[in-house]
Amino acid sequence: MKSNSSGDSTMSEVNKRVLSIQSHVVSGYVGNKAAVFPLQLLGFDVDVINSVQFSNHTGYPFGWEGEVLDGSMLGKLVDGMDRNGLLSSDDDDSGSGGIGNILTGYIGSESFLRAVVSVVTKLKDSNAGCRYICDPVLGDMGRFYVPEGLVDIYRRDVLPLADVITPNQFEVEQLTGISIETIRDAQRACRILHDSGVSVVLITSIVFPEGGSGDGDASKGMSTAPSRDSIGMFASQRQFRSRSARNSRNINCDTEQEQQKAQHTDEQYILYMPRLDGQFTGTGDVCAALFLGWTADGENAGENGDSPLKCALEKLAGTMQAIVQRTATAAAKKRSSASATGKAKMVSSRELQLVQSREDILNPPRNFGAVRVECNADAKC
C-alpha cells in the first residue's frame, strides 16, 4: 500500500486525517453518518463534506426531504480549506495538518463525480502519500442506484486514482464486465482492477452459485466448503517488487503486461460468514470506513504473524457480522410494536445499531478465518 515517504512519524500522523465526501442523513446511519463514528473510534480526525443532506435514507416508504450539493460548491468548499492551509502541512515534523486519506461513497450524478475526481487529483498532487479509498456505489442485487453513465467515469477517471476500492459483487461486475460465479472469476476481476491502477480491492459481498466457489487450486486451504447460506468477502492486494514497477501501472501491450507480471504479485484471501436475513442499509459505508482504518498502517498492521491484509479482512468480517446481528436482533424486538405507519417503522427498525457496537469496533472479534487463495494461470495474477 502507498505510504508517505517523509518518514514513519509523519506517516502515522498524516494517515490519521480523513476527508470523507459522502451523503448525510439527519436520522439513521448511512453515508457519513455511518462512516465518521467508526473512524473516530479508531483514532482518525475526519473532515466531512456532505454530498447530500436528507431527512432519512431513500429506502423509507414516504420519501425524504433535503438538498443536494452540486459539483461547483464541492470545489468551493475545498478551495476554502486550501486557502487556509487545511489540506496539507508545511511542517515536516508534524503531519497533523495534512489529509492522509480521502474516502468517497454514494455519488448520484456525473457532474459531482467529475468534481470529486478534480478534488482527489488536487489532494494527491499536494501530498503524494495521500490514499484514496473509493466505495464505488452503483447498485446491488442486479439493480442500479445511480445513472449507468457513472460506470464509464469510474472506469476511465476514478480507478486510476484509487488506492483502495470496496465494491460489492454487482459493482465489480459492472466495473470489469466479468460475471463473478467462481473464485477464479473474482481473481480475474481483481486483476483488471489492479491493472487499472488500484492497489487494494475488497469485494465486500459475494454470493456464489451452489458449488461455484470450488475452484480446485484456488480453494486450497478451505477446511469446509461454504454453504448456500454463506456470504463471501474477497480481498486482493497487488504488491510490487520495486518502486519503478509500481510507477508503471497502466500497461497496454501484451509484452509489457508479461514484464509487469514478473514485477508484482497479487496477495488474495477469501473469507466466508453466515448470511443474515434482512436488508440493512449503510453496511457498505461502515465497511469502507473500517477497512480504511485497519489498512492505514500498511505493513505494520499484521498481528500474530498474519499478513496485514488477512488481519484487516478478519477484523472487518467479525465486526460487520456483529453489527448486523445486533441490528437484526433489535429489529425483531421492535416488529411487534409497529403501528398504522408500520412500513416506515419497519425500515427504521433496521437502522444500524452502530453506537451500540462500539466495543466490536474497538476490539474486533476474529470469528471468521480468511484463507489464502492460490494464483492460477486463468486469473494471470
Side-chain angles (χ1 to χ4, degrees):
M1 297 174 193
K2 296 177 181 177
S3 62
N4 193 305
S5 59
S6 58
D8 289 343
S9 61
T10 301
M11 181 190 73
S12 63
E13 292 293 332
V14 170
N15 280 351
K16 288 293 185 179
R17 179 126 178 257
V18 180
L19 175 63
S20 182
I21 305 173
Q22 300 195 61
S23 60
H24 171 80
V25 291
V26 177
S27 180
Y29 293 96
V30 299
N32 275 325
K33 276 286 289 287
V36 173
F37 177 69
L39 284 169
Q40 289 175 329
L41 282 181
L42 295 178
F44 288 81
D45 287 321
V46 187
D47 295 338
V48 176
I49 295 180
N50 295 323
S51 58
V52 305
Q53 177 163 275
F54 288 166
S55 56
N56 46 267
H57 71 68
T58 58
Y60 277 78
F62 303 116
W64 65 93
E65 298 293 341
E67 56 187 12
V68 178
L69 187 74
D70 62 31
S72 63
M73 182 54 69
L74 171 64
K76 290 179 181 178
L77 290 172
V78 173
D79 287 344
M81 294 177 69
D82 193 16
R83 288 197 304 272
N84 288 284
L86 300 175
L87 296 182
S88 59
S89 174
D90 295 327
D91 185 353
D92 290 338
D93 296 326
S94 173
S96 60
I99 291 177
N101 303 272
I102 310 162
L103 175 63
T104 63
Y106 174 84
I107 296 171
S109 71
E110 295 182 17
S111 61
F112 197 84
L113 183 55
R114 291 191 181 97
V116 167
V117 169
S118 297
V119 168
V120 173
T121 301
K122 178 185 183 75
L123 289 170
K124 279 182 163 283
D125 285 345
S126 65
N127 178 7
C130 183
R131 293 195 313 159
Y132 175 29
I133 296 85
C134 173
D135 181 8
V137 179
L138 297 171
D140 199 5
M141 306 293 288
R143 181 172 67 90
F144 276 95
Y145 300 156
V146 300
E148 294 186 31
L150 268 65
V151 174
D152 287 337
I153 301 176
Y154 274 108
R155 287 174 177 168
R156 183 184 64 248
D157 300 329
V158 177
L159 292 181
L161 289 172
D163 298 275
V164 181
I165 62 169
T166 61
N168 60 32
Q169 182 172 357
F170 173 79
E171 291 156 353
V172 169
E173 291 174 342
Q174 299 307 312
L175 292 172
T176 65
I178 292 179
S179 177
I180 299 181
E181 298 182 353
T182 67
I183 290 178
R184 288 185 180 180
D185 292 335
Q187 289 181 294
R188 284 191 288 266
C190 286
R191 177 175 59 83
I192 291 173
L193 296 170
H194 287 317
D195 289 347
S196 296
V198 182
S199 295
V200 180
V201 179
L202 170 70
I203 306 177
T204 59
S205 57
I206 301 179
V207 179
F208 292 113
E210 187 173 5
S213 62
D215 283 351
D217 288 343
S219 56
K220 282 182 179 177
M222 299 297 297
S223 58
T224 58
S227 70
R228 296 178 60 184
D229 296 324
S230 65
I231 189 168
M233 283 184 168
F234 189 90
S236 179
Q237 178 177 355
R238 176 153 293 183
Q239 297 177 320
F240 291 91
R241 296 189 175 94
S242 69
R243 184 175 297 275
S244 60
R246 179 188 295 274
N247 292 335
S248 59
R249 296 188 299 175
N250 298 310
I251 305 297
N252 294 318
C253 75
D254 292 339
T255 301
E256 288 177 329
Q257 284 180 343
E258 290 303 314
Q259 291 174 348
Q260 188 195 38
K261 178 183 174 183
Q263 295 174 323
H264 73 254
T265 57
D266 292 348
E267 179 188 3
Q268 298 177 329
Y269 294 91
I270 186 78
L271 178 150
Y272 296 102
M273 54 188 175
R275 294 177 68 181
L276 299 176
D277 292 334
Q279 184 174 356
F280 304 95
T281 306
T283 53
D285 304 320
V286 178
C287 199
L290 291 174
F291 197 64
L292 183 163
W294 286 325
T295 58
D297 290 337
E299 296 171 1
N300 298 318
E303 297 176 3
N304 301 320
D306 289 339
S307 82
L309 185 63
K310 181 178 186 291
C311 181
L313 185 60
E314 292 179 352
K315 287 180 177 180
L316 184 63
T319 297
M320 290 306 302
Q321 186 79 356
I323 293 171
V324 175
Q325 182 64 69
R326 183 172 288 106
T327 303
T329 300
K333 291 179 180 179
K334 294 176 183 178
R335 284 193 195 118
S336 60
S337 62
S339 63
T341 57
K343 289 183 178 179
K345 286 197 173 183
M346 287 291 286
V347 177
S348 176
S349 72
R350 293 194 295 270
E351 293 284 5
L352 296 178
Q353 298 282 296
L354 195 58
V355 175
Q356 296 84 344
S357 301
R358 176 181 182 275
E359 289 303 316
D360 293 307
I361 296 170
L362 291 173
N363 301 290
R366 301 281 287 273
N367 298 329
F368 309 103
V371 176
R372 182 73 181 260
V373 176
E374 300 295 332
C375 185
N376 59 76
D378 290 341
K380 298 180 180 179
C381 55

